Amino acid sequence: AMVIKTTSDSSIHFGTNALPRMIIQNDGNVGIGTTGPVSRLQVVDSGSTGQITLGDSTNANYLRLLSQAVLSQSIVDSSGALYLKAATSLALQTGGANSRLLIDSSGNFDFNSGQVYVNATTGNVGIGTTAPGDSAILDIVKSSGVAKLKLTAADGTNDSWINIETNNTDWSLGIDKSD
């Protein structure tokens, strides 16, 4: 076995072309592209991409971490599509304890703990509920206060209508601004 170690409380340095490339500090932190790593592994790219890539031998699947300047893709498959896989559910969270976006193992989509929910089996959408009714394509629930649906023609000159059509019968409720 080959062993590289120091016998004193010092770091191990690696370099090429008389430049430092990697360090293993005496506290165990490893730095690539930095001589002062502040975490167990810190990689610094002084180039413009700030890119780290881990992949298989064919580059068919890989994890790529990029700097904010080029964060157009983070985790991609061979087609370049964003690809995240989880054993049960995929949750994206921004601070706090609640998931902001959750896709469960059945494919149901939940945004902000029930503010918007899409049932993957029925395609029904719930707003304010994670259990949209089977008979409603859109189920809106407000837990207190007046529940209202607002349609606005932003330019203020066009009409706002709700149209319901079935079997060649058209029913409309709205405001006609032509008068």
Side-chain angles (χ1 to χ4, degrees), residues 97-175:
N98 295 328
S99 296
R100 299 297 181 234
L101 171 63
L102 175 69
I103 302 171
D104 68 19
S105 60
S106 298
N108 298 320
F109 174 92
D110 184 1
F111 176 74
N112 211 18
S113 301
Q115 285 186 346
V116 178
Y117 179 87
V118 179
N119 183 302
T121 303
T122 64
N124 293 351
V125 176
I127 298 177
T129 179
T130 57
D134 290 335
S135 62
I137 296 170
L138 175 61
D139 191 353
I140 302 172
V141 175
K142 185 167 184 190
S143 60
S144 64
V146 176
K148 61 182 176 178
L149 179 63
K150 183 177 180 181
L151 302 175
T152 303
D155 64 4
T157 60
N158 290 308
D159 301 337
S160 294
W161 293 91
I162 296 174
N163 291 326
I164 300 172
E165 299 178 17
T166 183
N167 295 334
N168 296 324
T169 302
D170 186 13
W171 181 84
S172 298
L173 173 67
I175 298 174

Side-chain angles (χ1 to χ4, degrees), residues 2-149:
M2 182 174 136
V3 177
I4 299 174
K5 67 178 183 176
T6 63
T7 57
S8 62
D9 192 17
S10 59
S11 302
I12 300 173
H13 298 260
F14 299 88
T16 60
N17 295 331
L19 296 172
R21 302 296 183 186
M22 186 173 94
I23 186 172
I24 303 173
Q25 288 183 327
N26 58 355
D27 61 2
N29 288 352
V30 176
I32 300 173
T34 178
T35 57
V38 295
S39 59
R40 190 55 65 197
L41 174 63
Q42 182 178 3
V43 180
V44 176
D45 180 4
S46 61
S48 62
T49 63
Q51 176 175 305
I52 302 169
T53 302
L54 304 172
D56 60 19
S57 62
T58 64
N59 286 323
N61 296 293
Y62 55 90
L63 167 66
R64 178 176 286 168
L65 305 174
L66 305 168
S67 69
Q68 289 184 348
V70 291
L71 195 55
S72 60
Q73 50 181 288
S74 294
I75 302 172
V76 296
D77 64 12
S78 58
S79 70
L82 178 63
Y83 181 77
L84 302 173
K85 183 176 181 181
T88 56
S89 297
L90 173 65
L92 302 177
Q93 182 176 332
T94 56
N98 295 328
S99 296
R100 299 297 181 234
L101 171 63
L102 175 69
I103 302 171
D104 68 19
S105 60
S106 298
N108 298 320
F109 174 92
D110 184 1
F111 176 74
N112 211 18
S113 301
Q115 285 186 346
V116 178
Y117 179 87
V118 179
N119 183 302
T121 303
T122 64
N124 293 351
V125 176
I127 298 177
T129 179
T130 57
D134 290 335
S135 62
I137 296 170
L138 175 61
D139 191 353
I140 302 172
V141 175
K142 185 167 184 190
S143 60
S144 64
V146 176
K148 61 182 176 178
L149 179 63

